[in-house]
Amino acid sequence: MSLKRSPSPKASAPAAFVARLTSSNTEGSSLTRLLVILCIVAAVGAVASHGVLLRPANLSNILQQNAVLLVVVIAQFLVIVTGGFDLSVGAVVALSSVAFIGSLDYGVPAAILIALTTGALFGIVNGMLVTFVRLPSFVVTLGTMQIGYSLAKVWTGGGTLDTAPGGAAIPRSLLAFYTTDFLGIPLPVWLAFTILGGAALYLRTAIGHFIFAVGGNSRAARLAGVPVSRVRLVAYTVASLIASVSGLLFAMRVGYGDPQAGVLLPLNSIAAVSIGGVSLTGGRGHLLAGFLGVLIIAMLDNVMNLLGVSVFLQPVVKGAIVIITVFIYSRKQNRDG
Amino acid sequence: MSGFVSTRLRGISQHGQILAAAILFAAGAILEPNFLSRFNLSSIAFQYSVIGLIALGQFPVILTAGIDLSQGAIIGITAVIVALVAQVASYQLGVGAALATGILVGLITGAIVSFTRIPAFVVTLGMMSIGRGLALTISSGQPIPLLNPAFMELAHLRLFDVPATFVFFILIAILLALFLSQWPLGRALYAIGGHEENARLTGLNIKFLKMLAYAFSGLMSGLAGVLLTARLGTGHPLSGTNYELVSISAVIIGGASLFGGIGRVSGVVAGVLLLGILDSMINLSGISPYVQGTVKGAVVLIALAFSQLSLSRGARR
């Protein structure tokens, strides 16, 4: 907070680095703003939809429909904070859903393990290319996105995959997992909360804690003794691992593996993270930001559907909301220095 | 000035990309009997001229350290507009309306990017959603048939037996190269990407220059929308989906930096040709279409890794 009178906006990257070392308040205040925006959207939506939006059944429905995105956004957040992008999240979701269904012959635990390993491998490749070859994350993950979708199609022969080669299909109990509620909240959303908790723990570890420093100013971080390459590599790996968990969720939701799943996930997750007020240049943001960003978009979608807004017009409104919310943040950030 | 010096140094590797494109072309000609066929060459030439045009539009934006994700959506809107106007009035008017729309969308994007502090990525991501939504709304989600043979002929024109779109692409590339290297305004775009604050302090009108870059990207996307519509015979609202990702790849393969200030038009052209030749070779090779994505992605990443490694050995900042 002592940085309120920062002399020039250009000093913000190193200033953010110092701010992270000296105060933890900067994130708290951005989270408050986000909660205010969320409440406004909820209130306006509730009025516009005559209260339907806030009915428990409807809210639970919104959460359930967005469980996959809620998990993916955690992955995207981790990469964006390091100063990168992960465009391969959708491909990892598709490939891990296929890998999971395709290896059900070996039993569910083994299939889950195979799916998660596939995801983690993608993260390792992304991380290696970004850290050791120093390619921009945008092109790296664009390339691995193409590879991921292609491998998923090779695995299934192009279409969706209902059963493993030996005939094992997804067990009913797992299909039920997606639709069961616990304490009024769907189980897949509980899973998303669990992963959120896991990510919070990861941010407390020595290696996870440094992703803010690496994203804020990697040179300063390196000079301060932070193992920058290792921090990035682990962040990409953890992110892809989380994306593959949401691939499992996707498979449980639809009951098959889909090599074309998640095409919209990369840009939707980046949009949600931006709406959450996370800086796309890295180094700043709260773990909950992307999560709440998804809720804002999801409520908006829901209200537009309830009001019968044409599906063709909905992206126009969503695009405008993304620009306007980030505009509000950029002004507030300006004032805070 | 260090921006200009490193531009020079990067020039070496860009000759490398032109060389790589030439080698790949020769390899294609030797390995694939059908590679040099008239049909194959003209189909690569058309498809990659369209991608080339939007890559030329993307390049000045990336030079200013920006990015334009709305190109594909602009292609969608302009495809719909040109077909609609051609139905009710004339195709010439339609082309004019489409190009004007492209410039207008680019100007709006450029204005938001330069007058606010919203990152270009978010602005153009939003514009992408808005643009695609408008294209779908105007067309009610249906492709609009083009009932104008004269217009459809445009896509098949040939000059000296070369597809006219390709000649057009090369012509615009030459003009852009001259603009960026000879005109003060063009050189100023490098200065912005090199160090925006320094550029501002030397008295450059950064807001105007950025708007110019995005307007040019919009114009090129509009042109791409018109050409695709002429080629397909329908104005499809989903036309150009993901094209922005290809144009960004081509610019990066061409040696430009996403952080701005670095790159050359010759490199971008080489990047477009590399992608086009690679695409055609993989198509002709008879590899299963499902595996093709893996091969393409892997080849592009390996090529980028090599150019990056040789670059950091030659000219580490």
Side-chain angles (χ1 to χ4, degrees):
Chain A
M1 288 292 104
S2 58
L3 291 160
K4 261 192 178 156
R5 292 280 166 261
S6 178
S8 116
K10 274 285 137 189
S12 63
F17 181 61
V18 178
R20 288 222 41 84
L21 297 178
T22 54
S23 110
S24 56
N25 259 353
T26 47
E27 276 175 31
S29 65
S30 91
L31 197 62
T32 323
R33 271 175 227 147
L34 183 57
L35 285 169
V36 171
I37 294 180
L38 187 71
C39 291
I40 294 173
V41 171
V44 172
V47 173
S49 63
H50 303 290
V52 178
L53 174 72
L54 296 181
R55 277 184 202 155
N58 189 49
L59 283 179
S60 146
N61 199 13
I62 293 177
L63 284 171
Q64 191 193 349
Q65 279 170 353
N66 287 282
V68 171
L69 182 57
L70 280 172
V71 174
V72 166
V73 88
I74 302 169
Q76 191 66 262
F77 170 84
L78 294 177
V79 172
I80 284 184
V81 170
T82 68
F85 289 111
D86 192 347
L87 300 180
S88 69
V89 282
V92 170
V93 166
L95 182 59
S96 56
S97 78
V98 167
F100 172 61
I101 301 289
S103 12
L104 278 173
D105 285 342
Y106 312 114
V108 172
I112 291 179
L113 200 68
I114 289 171
L116 298 186
T117 314
T118 317
L121 280 176
F122 262 76
I124 292 173
V125 171
N126 284 340
M128 301 264 263
L129 286 169
V130 169
T131 53
F132 298 121
V133 190
R134 294 159 156 262
L135 288 177
S137 60
F138 192 92
V139 271
V140 167
T141 54
L142 191 59
T144 50
M145 167 176 113
Q146 204 175 13
I147 294 175
Y149 277 123
S150 157
L151 289 178
K153 279 182 198 148
V154 173
W155 195 320
T156 67
T160 57
L161 196 64
D162 296 321
T163 57
I170 188 164
R172 280 180 187 285
S173 55
L174 281 183
L175 290 176
F177 173 83
Y178 202 89
T179 48
T180 312
D181 279 12
F182 175 68
L183 300 179
I185 294 178
L187 284 180
V189 179
W190 282 112
L191 182 65
F193 285 145
T194 314
I195 292 168
L196 195 67
L201 283 179
Y202 162 69
L203 292 180
R204 295 278 177 282
T205 63
I207 199 99
H209 179 70
F210 283 130
I211 64 171
F212 291 98
V214 168
N217 187 338
S218 64
R219 238 181 118 194
R222 183 172 295 121
L223 293 175
V226 174
V228 173
S229 298
R230 197 143 51 92
V231 170
R232 281 221 170 96
L233 183 59
V234 173
Y236 279 94
T237 310
V238 171
S240 292
L241 188 65
I242 293 176
S244 61
V245 174
S246 80
L248 293 179
L249 266 182
F250 175 84
M252 289 180 212
R253 180 180 179 184
V254 296
Y256 52 79
D258 185 354
Q260 301 191 29
V263 180
L264 296 174
L265 282 176
L267 293 181
N268 279 347
S269 61
I270 295 173
V273 169
S274 315
I275 286 187
V278 176
S279 157
L280 287 188
T281 47
R284 273 206 233 174
H286 196 283
L287 180 58
L288 277 174
F291 215 73
L292 297 178
V294 174
L295 291 186
I296 291 178
I297 298 182
M299 288 201 294
L300 210 70
D301 271 343
N302 188 256
V303 172
M304 286 196 286
N305 281 331
L306 290 173
L307 293 181
V309 176
S310 134
V311 279
F312 298 142
L313 210 54
Q314 290 188 9
V316 179
V317 179
K318 256 197 270 185
I321 295 284
V322 170
I323 295 179
I324 293 167
T325 352
V326 178
F327 175 66
I328 296 171
Y329 285 117
S330 68
R331 286 182 64 84
K332 297 245 169 129
Q333 262 172 18
N334 212 354
R335 217 176 297 154
D336 287 357
Chain B
M1 285 292 117
S2 69
F4 291 104
V5 175
S6 62
T7 314
R8 281 273 162 81
L9 288 172
R10 299 259 164 157
I12 300 164
S13 87
Q14 274 157 17
H15 291 307
Q17 272 120 11
I18 297 171
L19 194 68
I23 293 172
L24 202 59
F25 188 83
I30 295 165
L31 295 174
E32 301 292 343
N34 288 330
F35 184 77
L36 287 178
S37 72
R38 187 185 157 89
F39 175 76
N40 186 50
L41 287 183
S42 20
S43 75
I44 314 179
F46 179 81
Q47 199 193 343
Y48 279 84
S49 304
V50 172
I51 283 168
L53 286 172
I54 57 170
L56 292 177
Q58 187 74 253
F59 177 54
V61 171
I62 287 183
L63 268 187
T64 68
I67 194 163
D68 191 352
L69 297 175
S70 66
Q71 286 188 321
I74 297 180
I75 292 178
I77 298 190
T78 51
V80 168
I81 286 180
V82 72
L84 274 178
V85 178
Q87 272 186 354
V88 295
S90 69
Y91 81 83
Q92 288 92 339
L93 202 65
V95 173
L99 298 186
T101 310
I103 295 176
L104 182 69
V105 178
L107 278 177
I108 296 172
T109 309
I112 301 176
V113 168
S114 43
F115 285 97
T116 69
R117 291 162 46 99
I118 314 176
F121 194 97
V122 177
V123 176
T124 56
L125 184 62
M127 291 304 278
M128 170 183 170
S129 181
I130 294 175
R132 193 63 76 187
L134 286 178
L136 286 166
T137 309
I138 298 171
S139 64
S140 316
Q142 297 298 318
I144 295 165
L146 198 68
L147 309 165
N148 199 315
F151 179 41
M152 289 166 69
E153 272 304 301
L154 282 184
H156 298 279
L157 272 184
R158 283 174 173 270
L159 291 172
F160 310 111
D161 209 33
V162 180
T165 42
F166 187 72
V167 178
F168 195 50
F169 160 53
I170 296 298
L171 202 69
I172 293 185
I174 293 171
L175 288 177
L176 181 67
L178 287 174
F179 171 74
L180 288 175
S181 61
Q182 306 299 324
W183 272 34
L185 271 184
R187 297 193 67 89
L189 285 171
Y190 279 94
I192 294 183
H195 198 297
E196 188 168 327
E197 186 66 10
N198 284 356
R200 194 178 63 76
L201 293 174
T202 49
L204 293 175
N205 189 342
I206 292 186
K207 293 187 167 70
F208 170 72
L209 283 164
K210 281 191 175 171
M211 284 175 69
L212 191 70
Y214 285 94
F216 179 65
S217 173
L219 173 64
M220 289 296 110
S221 312
L223 209 52
V226 167
L227 286 171
L228 279 175
T229 308
R231 174 84 166 190
L232 290 173
T234 51
H236 203 295
L238 294 178
S239 167
T241 304
N242 286 341
Y243 270 42
E244 62 279 350
L245 298 180
V246 185
S247 83
I248 294 167
S249 308
V251 171
I252 303 300
I253 292 171
S257 158
L258 274 177
F259 298 107
I262 291 169
R264 277 184 174 185
V265 175
S266 57
V268 175
V269 173
V272 172
L273 294 181
L274 263 176
L275 282 179
I277 297 167
L278 183 66
D279 203 12
S280 163
M281 281 177 70
I282 293 174
N283 272 330
L284 289 175
S285 67
I287 302 176
S288 127
Y290 304 137
V291 187
Q292 288 185 5
T294 305
V295 178
K296 261 185 243 175
V299 170
V300 167
L301 283 179
I302 291 169
L304 278 170
F306 269 111
S307 79
Q308 181 66 26
L309 289 175
S310 62
L311 196 77
S312 49
R313 218 179 299 138
R316 181 150 245 159
R317 273 179 292 166

